[in-house]
Structures are given as structure tokens and as C-alpha cells.
Amino acid sequence: MKWFKKKKQTVDRSQEEPHESVAQDLEPETSREGEDVREAVEPVEATGAPEAEKQGFFRRLRNRLSKTRQGFVSRVDQLLLGKKEIDEALLEELEEILITSDLGVQTTMALIEKVREKVERKDLSNPEELKEALQSEILHFLKVPPRPGRIAGEKPHVIMVVGVNGVGKTTTIGKLGARYVKEGKRVLLIAADTFRAAAVEQLAIWAERISAELVRHRDKSDPSAVVYDGIHAAKTRGVDVVIIDTAGRLHTRVNLMEELKKIRRTVTRQLPDAPHEILLVLDATTGQNAISQAQLFHEALEITGIALVKLDGTAKGGIVVGICDSLGLPLQYIGLGEKVEDLQDFNPDAFMKALFSEVNQGA
């Protein structure tokens, strides 16, 4: 525990409540949404046979997690190399690796405590078995059951997507819509991020590329008015799935959350059981700030699930574990790249297998 006590002030700073300014505390430092939106939209391509697709996904998942594997798993392997026993010094070094891999203080302490209990019960004594014990405990953290917000078969099924500017929210909506279109669903996208013309334009391009319908207003009108028209159109046209893009930044955090609550009320007035999902998009590269964002959005809106994107661009993929454990929210999707097929359902077992597999191990 010495390392944690020595570093506590530095680490705890990442867990503090964000200040009032969304620009300073919610929005990531860099943003891809300022790029040419035409380059951000990939066409929907045909995929191969199910088994080949499954193997291809695992191979991509393993490759995309290479930075996380090097930053976390490889360091654990080096720590355990040549060790003869599990003592307090070993646990302190393991604690440092977990925290610096962005599992977060709360999750790290819980994980270390479970390992310590196993050692005290004599269930774990060999350092060679410690890595397997870590995998087992981490997998337990990842298996968060779905929240009761998801209603299968509801028509139209309404998904409200939220997240701060720059995380890739609109792109995620396009990819999610493409998945439903591929399933043969009739999809309608609602461009309710009226505060940014680029977001509306980007969503329009996605709608055209994936053959989805789009409801938008030509001017910077009230987002709730766009949502009202969109839900009305979906009911009239017999749409299967509605996906709502929302603002990610207003003058203050309070204004943003109140606007999102207003959108939710607008949906509920037309469809009492909707929105059926409130999906929060988070950027894995922002580390612990992603957990702070999730806490704020969840308090205001009761998030039903999370899409964690840009996992391919960070060595701190431990944020996956921290999010599941700290928030108790299910991780529904992970984004592993720019292509449509790189947005995948989160499978804890496949994730752990890919994370702890050797780089040269076959699929």
C-alpha cells in the first residue's frame, strides 16, 4: 500500500467532480469531428461467412488491443517473472501497474483486496497462478448484466445517444444504424444536435450511405422540436429503429443536461415506454475522465448502456474494467477502428481472451 499512499494525491485528482465548464472538464482535448465528414463515413461492405467473420473479429480485437496488452499484461508478466512467492511488495507493484493502466483507484483496490483474500485463505500462493486469478476477477467485473431499459421487439425501438463533443458520437450512431440496416430493419436517424451544423451534415451523410431515413431541420431550431417531428415520422412510416443524435456541449453542464432531459421528455410524451435505450458514447483515450463523464450523464439521464470507442488508440484499455466496476453499467459496444464493422457488441470472454493472448497466437 505504500505506493498508493505516496501517489494518492495525484491519482485521486482524476476522480474529482468536474467543474461547471463542459469545455474544460467534459470535452476531450482532441476531436475528430472537426475533420471532413465525408472522410469519416465508411461505406457498408459485405462480410464473409459467419465463422470467418467471427475469426476475423477476434484477430482484429487482439490486434487492436496490442497497446493495452503491452501496457498492462506484459508488465504483469515482467513483474511475476522469477518471483517465488506472493508477498506485500509484489502486491504493491501490481497495484501500481493496475492504476497506471487506468483501471482506476476504486477498481484496483477492490481487485487487490480479492487477491489478498485468496492469498490469506491459501487459495493462491504461487505467483504463476496470480495472472490466472487476475483474469478471473477482472472477468467478473466485466460481466455487468443488461439494465432493464432495453425492450426487445418494441416498434419503433428508440435509442437516444449522448456524449460530449469529440468522442465520436455521430460516427458511432452511423455505425450502429448500419448494423440495424444490415439486419433488415427500417432505420430513421434524428439530427437533434442542432447546435453544430457539422454534426447535422455528418449524420446526413451517414443516413445516405447506410440507406437510413433522416429527420432534420434546416435551421438551428430547438432540438426537442426536431425530435418531436422525428418520432412522429417514425410512427407514421412504421420505422423499426430510431436513433437520436444529441448535443454534447452547451454553455454550461447544467444547460446541457437540462436540454437532454427535455429531449427525453419529448420522446416519452409520444411513446410512453421510450426511449428504450439511452446509450452513452465514451472515448477510451480520455482515461479516468471518461468515468467522470459517465457519472454525470448517468445521474441526469439514467444511462442504460455504454459504447466505448477508440480502444485501438490507447495503451490504457484498463478503463474498460474501471467503467464496468465503478458505474455498474453494462458495456454494450466497443469501437476498435474506423470501419463500420469495427463497432462490435462487447463480449467479456472474447475481450479477456484477446487481451491476455500472445501477440503471435493464432485466432
Side-chain angles (χ1 to χ4, degrees):
M1 300 299 294
K2 294 178 181 177
W3 182 88
F4 173 67
K5 290 176 182 177
K6 182 172 64 176
K7 296 287 186 180
K8 189 174 188 301
Q9 278 190 323
T10 302
V11 176
D12 278 354
R13 202 167 291 136
S14 66
Q15 303 281 47
E16 292 176 358
E17 283 289 325
H19 303 300
E20 199 65 12
S21 170
V22 174
Q24 291 180 352
D25 297 278
L26 287 184
E27 190 171 35
E29 293 180 2
T30 60
S31 168
R32 296 186 62 87
E33 294 203 20
E35 299 178 356
D36 187 337
V37 293
R38 289 168 295 184
E39 296 180 358
V41 181
E42 293 284 343
V44 181
E45 300 176 358
T47 55
E51 185 60 32
E53 186 175 326
K54 181 179 178 181
Q55 291 181 359
F57 166 66
F58 179 77
R59 190 178 298 109
R60 290 200 309 275
L61 178 60
R62 190 185 63 220
N63 291 339
R64 299 298 198 276
L65 292 176
S66 61
K67 290 184 180 179
T68 295
R69 184 164 48 246
Q70 293 164 9
F72 171 44
V73 180
S74 296
R75 291 174 66 196
V76 172
D77 287 337
Q78 292 171 9
L79 171 64
L80 300 179
L81 188 64
K83 292 291 193 298
K84 301 298 182 182
E85 62 177 357
I86 303 175
D87 54 18
E88 196 60 32
L90 176 62
L91 292 180
E92 286 180 6
E93 290 186 65
L94 178 61
E95 181 182 280
E96 177 179 0
I97 291 174
L98 296 177
I99 290 180
T100 55
S101 297
D102 251 13
L103 268 76
V105 174
Q106 175 182 317
T107 302
T108 294
M109 301 312 296
L111 191 55
I112 292 295
E113 188 57 33
K114 286 185 177 293
V115 171
R116 185 177 282 109
E117 289 174 0
K118 287 187 175 184
V119 172
E120 291 175 352
R121 293 197 308 264
K122 308 298 183 183
D123 294 337
L124 182 63
S125 58
N126 189 338
E128 294 181 359
E129 300 172 350
L130 180 56
K131 185 175 175 180
E132 185 176 340
L134 278 176
Q135 292 184 59
S136 176
E137 294 299 337
I138 289 174
L139 186 60
H140 177 74
F141 286 158
L142 293 178
K143 291 187 174 181
V144 179
R147 298 180 73 83
R150 306 187 71 181
I151 303 174
E154 191 76 16
K155 185 176 179 178
H157 185 80
V158 181
I159 305 170
M160 180 176 166
V161 182
V162 300
V164 302
N165 290 350
V167 296
K169 176 165 49 70
T170 306
T171 300
T172 299
I173 289 171
K175 293 177 180 179
L176 185 59
R179 288 163 56 99
Y180 283 112
V181 169
K182 185 180 176 182
E183 293 173 6
K185 305 291 186 184
R186 186 173 180 180
V187 176
L188 185 146
L189 308 182
I190 300 178
D193 186 0
T194 61
F195 300 99
R196 292 191 314 117
V200 176
E201 181 186 351
Q202 186 179 6
L203 197 67
I205 294 173
W206 268 111
E208 182 179 355
R209 292 287 179 88
I210 68 176
S211 299
E213 299 173 49
L214 175 73
V215 170
R216 60 183 289 184
H217 285 187
R218 293 295 176 181
D219 53 4
K220 289 189 176 182
S221 57
D222 180 5
S224 295
V226 184
V227 171
Y228 181 90
D229 290 345
I231 297 298
H232 178 74
K235 292 166 62 179
T236 303
R237 302 173 191 176
V239 167
D240 297 301
V241 179
V242 175
I243 308 178
I244 306 170
D245 191 10
T246 62
R249 176 182 177 184
L250 290 177
H251 179 60
T252 68
R253 169 167 55 87
V254 173
N255 285 351
L256 172 61
M257 297 308 169
E258 289 305 314
E259 184 63 54
L260 295 176
K261 289 177 183 178
K262 182 180 177 183
I263 289 175
R264 184 178 60 182
R265 290 194 300 269
T266 300
V267 174
T268 303
R269 276 196 290 267
Q270 295 191 77
L271 293 169
D273 295 328
H276 306 105
E277 297 182 54
I278 301 181
L279 182 68
L280 172 63
V281 181
L282 296 175
D283 180 347
T285 64
T286 61
Q288 291 299 299
N289 194 39
I291 293 182
S292 298
Q293 291 174 27
Q295 288 171 335
L296 289 171
F297 279 98
H298 188 45
E299 288 171 5
L301 299 166
E302 297 182 2
I303 300 300
T304 62
I306 290 173
L308 186 67
V309 301
K310 305 182 187 178
L311 264 174
D312 59 322
T314 178
K316 295 187 175 184
I319 190 63
V320 172
V321 187
I323 285 173
C324 292
D325 176 57
S326 301
L327 303 173
L329 290 171
L331 185 55
Q332 287 178 225
Y333 307 102
I334 52 174
L336 302 169
E338 296 298 320
K339 296 182 179 179
V340 169
E341 62 268 24
D342 286 331
L343 181 69
Q344 291 285 337
D345 293 326
F346 177 64
N347 182 316
D349 294 292
F351 181 84
M352 290 299 294
K353 181 181 177 182
L355 180 60
F356 282 87
S357 66
E358 298 297 331
V359 176
N360 60 356
Q361 182 177 325

